[in-house]
Every structure is written in C-alpha cells, then in structure tokens.
Amino acid sequence: MPDLPKHVHFHEEGPREGFQIERGTFPLADRAALVDALSETGLDEIQVASFVSPKAVPQMADSEALFDTIKRKPGVRYDAVWLNERGYERARAATGVHITGRIALYASDAFALRNNNCTAAEMRARVDGWLDRYAADGVPMERALVMAAFGCNFEGSVDPARAVGELVWAWKTCRARGMASPRLYLADTMGWANPQSIRRAVGLLREALPEAEVGLHLHDTRGLGPANVMAALEMGVSHFDSSVAGLGGCPFAGHGDSRGAGNICTEDMVFLCHEMGIGTGIDLEALVEAARLAERIIGRPLPGRLMHAGTLTAYRQRRAAA
C-alpha cells in the first residue's frame, strides 16, 4: 500500500453537477456568483456547465451566457461537459471554455443506453472519431473515465475487471496513436462503491497499468463517500472530482422516484486532507463560505457537514489564545 499522497487535487464540479439535477432553474447571476466565489478559494479547476440538449437538461440551456458572465481568475481552468459533436462545438465557440480531450466509457450497457442512447460497446466505437477530432483540433488528451464502474441501478453489480478493462483499452488506444496518456478515472456514478471495492478496482488498474495516473469520481449516495475517499488516499490516489456543499447527481442515474446523489463534498474532503497533513492549496474557510452561498441559492439544506459544523480553525485559535 503506497503512502498517503502529499498533495491532493480536487476538480470542482458543483456548478455543473449541482444545478443540472435541480427540478427548477436558478438565476444566471446567482450561478455566476457561486463560480466566482469558488474561484477565490484556491481551486484551480472548476466545471462551470454542460453543453447538452436543452430539452433533456433545461437547467443548462444558458451555458454560453454563464461563461460570458463569470469573472475569470488567472490560474483557474473553467471547463465544461459535452456528450456529442454539437455539444463539443458549442463548448469550443463559448467564451473561455478550457477544452481538453476526454473519453467517456461505460461499464454498464443499461446506463449507457439511458445516458448516451448507445451500448457500452457502441460508445467505445465512437472513441476513434473523438480522438481523430481532438488530434485535428490540436486538443490535448487529458482524461478517460468509465461510468458505473462499481455498480448500476439498472443493471446491478459490475465486475471491476470490466470497468478496468475499459480504461486499459482507452489508455492503450491513446498510446497507440502517439497521444498523451490520459489520467484514468473510475466513476461511482450511482453510489455502489465501498472501501473494499475501491481498493480492489484501484489495485487492478495499477496492476494492469503501473505507470498510469488514477483518479476517482465518487458520489455519496449511500453515505460511504468519505470512507471511499479514505480508502483511495491509502492507495495513493491524489485526484478527485467533487462538488461544493455536496451538490449534484446525474439526472439519468436515479431509480424509481430517487435521483442520483451528489458528488463527495469538496469542503468536507479538503478538511479530511488538511487534518491528516495532506496539502490541497485550498483556503478552507473561503470554501466553506462558498458552500453556504450554494445553500442559499438552492434554498434548502445541502448535505455538506463542515458548512454547518464549522472548521476547527476558530476552536484552535481560541485554545491558543487562552
């Protein structure tokens, strides 16, 4: 088992992940204010919006206007999600979107059909077209992600070897083309992972590709998000997708009356890292204030813990002054 990482990088997805699942829409100015607040926390990568069908996800219909409205801070990358050629073109035409090459794959046919209207094999077949396009446009390859890597609400348990196999295929495909090796993300899209399955999947991926960099996209659907992060840290993983205040969830990942729960909570996981002496480069107090802003915008209690309990900074300052 590797030592704990010395530094952990958080890719903030709350502005996109959070608002896309809400049943209503929110003022553009409020969403821009949240992005601007996050920009002042030390986060260096913020996912602002998605360029997807306004009919399927009306909450993201004004993504271009949102990118026009935010105040960009030097050193911060503002990125977005797209699922098809039209979305990619919209992202490239929008103001200041950081475009990087990415591959999205599936370990579940049922979820692939629900989310992308294709099977997992059909999604893999589309990758060559995307890689051709990225190469033609001079877009650097950065990440490959496999969704439903630990289980699927529509298909059941997922063999970790299947998820790992998708990422190994993506990595080797990029290498065969002479492209940069992507960082490989296992995504627990619907909250099926537990610490044991995290260790198993990360271990299998490391055995298959010892030189690859591994990241995780975790949801806290059933309360195991922090435990899964801890297991990943103990495996030396240092890249995580997360959402301020625990916002979010995939609108196509729910089952019955439920909806997919949000990502692991950024400020709670930053707090975890800081308490263990792991650097993040993030101002935790500023991040907590951004989480409280998110809660005011949404208008209901959000699942983040630290935003309600407070950090230990003030307590320690009082103790030191006593």
Side-chain angles (χ1 to χ4, degrees):
M1 181 179 295
D3 293 333
L4 293 173
K6 292 180 171 56
H7 185 92
V8 166
H9 178 268
F10 289 95
H11 176 213
E12 173 58 50
E13 297 195 342
R16 190 274 307 176
E17 180 89 22
F19 290 96
Q20 75 172 13
I21 199 172
E22 294 298 318
R23 291 188 171 90
T25 57
F26 294 84
L28 184 70
D30 288 348
R31 290 157 52 213
L34 177 60
V35 175
D36 293 343
L38 291 167
S39 298
E40 298 298 327
T41 65
L43 287 162
D44 62 6
E45 195 171 16
I46 302 171
Q47 194 166 89
V48 174
S50 58
F51 292 92
V52 293
S53 166
K55 292 182 179 179
V57 189
Q59 300 87 340
M60 294 285 113
D62 59 354
S63 294
E64 287 89 347
L66 181 56
F67 271 97
D68 283 337
T69 304
I70 60 175
K71 300 172 184 176
R72 286 169 180 76
K73 185 178 178 66
V76 180
R77 294 173 22 166
Y78 300 91
D79 67 4
V81 165
W82 57 84
L83 298 178
N84 54 34
E85 186 78 12
R86 175 167 172 73
Y88 173 68
E89 289 298 338
R90 286 178 60 198
R92 278 170 46 85
T95 303
V97 181
H98 184 81
I99 303 290
T100 56
R102 61 190 63 176
I103 297 171
L105 298 163
Y106 292 89
S108 160
D109 284 312
F111 184 54
L113 288 165
R114 190 177 180 90
N115 197 47
N116 244 107
N117 196 32
C118 66
T119 65
E122 288 169 342
M123 192 67 180
R124 187 191 272 202
R126 296 178 185 181
V127 166
D128 278 333
W130 279 113
L131 295 182
D132 287 341
R133 185 62 190 272
Y134 293 148
D137 293 341
V139 173
M141 194 62 214
E142 185 165 288
R143 62 187 276 162
L145 176 144
V146 58
M147 289 176 270
F150 298 90
C152 174
N153 291 346
F154 313 103
E155 193 167 307
S157 297
V158 169
D159 183 346
R162 179 179 182 186
V164 168
E166 293 293 319
L167 292 178
V168 170
W169 175 85
W171 193 89
K172 290 183 176 180
T173 298
C174 289
R175 288 294 294 267
R177 284 170 163 259
M179 305 178 79
S181 302
R183 185 178 302 119
L184 304 178
Y185 281 80
L186 294 154
D188 184 26
T189 316
M190 287 163 272
W192 282 61
N194 59 61
Q196 185 179 45
S197 63
I198 292 287
R199 295 187 189 98
R200 184 183 305 119
V202 172
L204 283 173
L205 187 51
R206 289 247 174 84
E207 287 176 11
L209 295 171
E211 64 271 53
E213 192 170 22
V214 179
L216 288 173
H217 178 102
L218 301 174
H219 286 251
D220 195 26
T221 311
R222 294 171 176 86
L224 291 183
N228 293 337
V229 170
M230 189 66 219
L233 290 172
E234 291 173 345
M235 295 289 290
V237 175
S238 61
H239 286 265
F240 296 90
D241 295 338
S242 61
S243 290
V244 64
L247 281 167
C250 175
F252 307 108
H255 190 63
D257 294 330
S258 69
R259 297 183 298 167
N263 281 29
I264 51 172
C265 175
T266 308
E267 66 274 12
D268 290 1
M269 298 304 98
V270 169
F271 175 71
L272 172 66
C273 288
H274 288 187
E275 288 298 299
M276 295 192 301
I278 301 172
T280 65
I282 294 171
D283 181 337
L284 185 56
E285 298 293 338
L287 185 56
V288 167
E289 287 306 311
R292 290 170 179 158
L293 172 60
E295 186 171 76
R296 292 195 296 272
I297 293 171
I298 295 294
R300 68 171 188 277
L302 294 176
R305 299 296 185 90
L306 202 65
M307 61 191 288
H308 301 127
T311 69
L312 292 176
T313 301
Y315 172 79
R316 288 174 174 142
Q317 289 173 342
R318 289 195 301 270
R319 293 277 294 178

